[in-house]
Amino acid sequence: SGSAGGRTPLSQRATGNLTTTFMYRWRDGRDADLFSPAALQQMCEVENEILRGEHYGEVCFNDPNAAFYTTASGTRCALPRLSAPSLFYVPWQSGGGCASLSPSERLTAEVEEGVACSGGYTGMPTAPFWTDGSHTRKCTLLDEAYVAERAAWLYAAAAEHEGVRDRLGFFLASDALQLNETHASRSSVPLGSPVVGKDGRVVDPWAATLHEDFVEAAKKRLFNKFKMREDRPFWSPWRDSAETADLSIRFLSGAMLQGEFGDLMKTDFFMVIFSILFVLVYMCYHTGCLTLGCLGLLMILLSFPLALFLYVVVFRVRYFAMIHVLAIFIALGVGADDIFVYVNAWRHSRRVATSFEARIAYAHRKTYRAVLATSFTTAVAFFATWVSPVMPVGAFGCFAALAIVMTFALVISFFPAALMIWELRFRRAKCVGCCCPCIGRCALPSVGPEGGGGEAGGGE
């Protein structure tokens, strides 16, 4: 663990969710070895954005077996071992003690511990690369001859020894050993895992909050370095390119992904509100009445709790994720279309029926036949996804199908009843009936209960 002076690192275990992975390629796609002094310097500077975090000493990976580590802020933090710059930013030591080592131990000392068992390299550095009073590396521009000799040794060692190939394969492109150069590389910068109890929960709530805040701050530093803008509405900064002078970079961690998912859900929530308002406005325009438009929207929204009841109580499915909320877009489209079918059938009934009861029967019959066909085929299509081996997809398909079924049930029961009550009781009431007399379709042609044929407020 760390020494005295502040909190010690939280764990000697790295955790994948808090490990940031960087993928490096040439920005212009050039045919050259990515292990060059300029490219390695830029990789080092990028990874320093993680290491220079304010509380890095409290969340770092405290690897007791690390050959190189920093002790700033009174804590012991291992420098990232699975880091492409770590293969070159090495304070080399004399290889005089290598004679007593086995071939495998010599390779380990050369690759991971900075012991020059192979005799050394031209211009190889010997001074430490970490910054005094900090956990970051000194990203100096390395000697070109040193980088070329070191890269050549790495390729030769990986080609000759399977154990070294397994270790170095993480940093090399698939064709690197055939070409003796790599056009892509990657690094992983881990954080220590918060200490958890037997119940799987974080022992210290401070630890979980500290990790979340650190990852969020690191993400913002990387965004600023790559000029990935966060100030544009409905645009994720992850869609911008992350580039340095020579490199094209992709980076991500599990914690960053979770945070981005939450941000996307907030943005999508506004899209849901916009969709609901758009459907409401168009239904009011089509029916010519705010009251009927609101009742139609209420009918669509009621399909959700009814579908959820069938989903949980009848089908006994307990899985419900954010993807299920997307079913609202399906319900809005299908439900609004069903309402338009009923309203059009109700308007047309004036030409074929002379009594109010006959008009209701005609509109109901026409709507039932048309809507049944479309709702049945759509619901079956979503139910078909239930057999998917991907459980979330199957669960979403089941819920979406039930929402469509409930929408159909409501359009042939709830909406006709609402329309009938509106026609008989509220159509001519002030502030409840027709609100846009200037629109030709505003007033739904009405037939009185006794069979009269009047039209209030104009016709079609």
Side-chain angles (χ1 to χ4, degrees):
S1 299
S3 58
R7 287 181 182 256
T8 59
L10 295 170
S11 178
Q12 295 182 358
R13 291 186 304 156
T15 176
N17 189 50
L18 296 171
T19 297
T20 304
T21 300
F22 296 91
M23 307 288 291
Y24 304 107
R25 291 182 180 275
W26 287 118
R27 180 177 178 178
D28 55 6
R30 72 185 74 169
D31 187 14
D33 195 349
L34 194 64
F35 290 157
S36 68
L40 290 168
Q41 182 183 42
Q42 293 168 39
M43 294 179 197
C44 176
E45 292 171 347
V46 168
E47 294 173 22
N48 269 353
E49 295 299 325
I50 303 291
L51 305 180
R52 71 180 181 89
E54 180 181 1
H55 297 286
Y56 179 75
E58 297 168 288
V59 301
C60 66
F61 178 29
N62 181 20
D63 184 359
N65 299 318
F68 307 115
Y69 55 87
T70 58
T71 56
S73 66
T75 57
R76 185 183 189 278
C77 296
L79 284 170
R81 298 170 66 184
L82 291 179
S83 166
S86 70
L87 299 174
F88 296 85
Y89 283 88
V90 179
W92 290 98
Q93 307 169 33
S94 171
C98 293
S100 60
L101 300 179
S102 67
S104 176
E105 290 173 334
R106 291 184 184 183
L107 290 172
T108 299
E110 181 90 27
V111 174
E112 298 184 2
E113 299 175 8
V115 180
C117 291
S118 61
Y121 309 96
T122 302
M124 68 180 186
T126 57
F129 279 102
W130 41 91
T131 307
D132 293 338
S134 171
H135 294 288
T136 60
R137 289 193 183 100
K138 294 179 182 178
C139 299
T140 57
L141 187 65
L142 299 173
D143 182 82
E144 188 169 353
Y146 159 67
V147 172
E149 290 182 19
R150 172 64 169 165
W153 184 90
L154 291 172
Y155 297 137
E160 183 177 353
H161 302 278
E162 183 177 356
V164 177
R165 183 162 58 248
D166 292 340
R167 298 178 193 176
L168 298 182
F170 177 85
F171 305 102
L172 306 179
S174 58
D175 57 354
L177 299 185
Q178 288 75 34
L179 302 175
N180 278 329
E181 62 181 33
T182 184
H183 301 149
S185 189
R186 60 179 170 173
S187 295
S188 286
V189 181
L191 299 181
S193 173
V195 179
V196 297
K198 295 182 179 180
D199 58 356
R201 297 182 179 180
V202 177
V203 174
D204 188 353
W206 165 86
T209 303
L210 182 62
H211 277 78
E212 293 172 2
D213 293 344
F214 182 87
V215 171
E216 182 65 21
K219 182 182 71 172
K220 291 185 179 296
R221 290 196 299 271
L222 289 167
F223 283 169
N224 291 334
K225 181 174 181 63
F226 300 129
K227 296 180 173 58
M228 301 165 69
R229 295 173 54 189
E230 297 183 87
D231 56 350
R232 289 169 292 183
F234 305 108
W235 181 271
S236 171
W238 292 99
R239 300 172 71 176
D240 295 333
S241 298
E243 296 175 336
T244 61
D246 298 303
L247 301 177
S248 174
I249 302 169
R250 294 183 179 182
F251 65 95
L252 190 63
S253 72
M256 291 181 186
L257 182 62
Q258 290 176 356
E260 178 64 12
F261 184 75
D263 293 340
L264 288 175
M265 292 308 303
K266 294 176 184 177
T267 303
D268 291 347
F269 180 73
F270 289 108
M271 298 300 295
V272 171
I273 294 177
F274 173 79
S275 300
I276 291 175
L277 292 177
F278 177 82
V279 170
L280 173 62
V281 169
Y282 193 81
M283 284 197 298
C284 291
Y285 169 77
H286 187 83
T287 61
C289 178
L290 177 63
T291 306
L292 285 179
C294 291
L295 288 172
L297 181 61
L298 175 63
M299 182 208 79
I300 295 173
L301 297 180
L302 281 176
S303 65
F304 266 73
L306 294 175
L308 186 62
F309 174 81
L310 294 177
Y311 181 76
V312 175
V313 177
V314 178
F315 287 81
R316 304 187 68 81
V317 181
R318 295 291 186 267
Y319 177 79
F320 192 92
M322 295 304 297
I323 189 176
H324 288 62
V325 180
L326 299 178
I328 191 171
F329 295 105
I330 301 169
L332 284 170
V334 174
D337 183 65
D338 292 350
I339 290 173
F340 297 155
V341 171
Y342 193 94
V343 170
N344 289 337
W346 173 252
R347 286 184 178 140
H348 188 262
S349 67
R350 177 173 65 95
R351 303 190 180 105
V352 297
T354 58
S355 68
F356 186 82
E357 292 80 2
R359 289 188 63 193
I360 286 288
Y362 175 85
H364 193 275
R365 185 170 59 254
K366 283 286 187 181
T367 303
Y368 174 83
R369 292 174 178 174
V371 172
L372 175 63
T374 57
S375 297
F376 176 77
T377 54
T378 307
V380 168
F382 278 102
F383 268 128
T385 64
W386 207 358
V387 301
S388 170
V390 183
M391 186 273 291
V393 174
F396 166 74
C398 175
F399 182 75
L402 292 175
I404 294 171
V405 171
M406 287 297 97
T407 302
F408 167 74
L410 290 171
V411 82
I412 62 172
S413 58
F414 175 87
F415 191 74
L419 179 62
M420 183 169 59
I421 294 173
W422 178 80
E423 279 279 344
L424 295 178
R425 302 297 181 188
F426 300 110
R427 180 180 176 122
R428 295 173 179 81
K430 187 177 181 180
C431 298
V432 180
C434 181
C435 55
C436 304
C438 59
I439 301 178
R441 62 167 52 88
C442 177
L444 296 177
S446 179
V447 175
E450 291 81 16
E455 290 185 21
E460 293 186 74

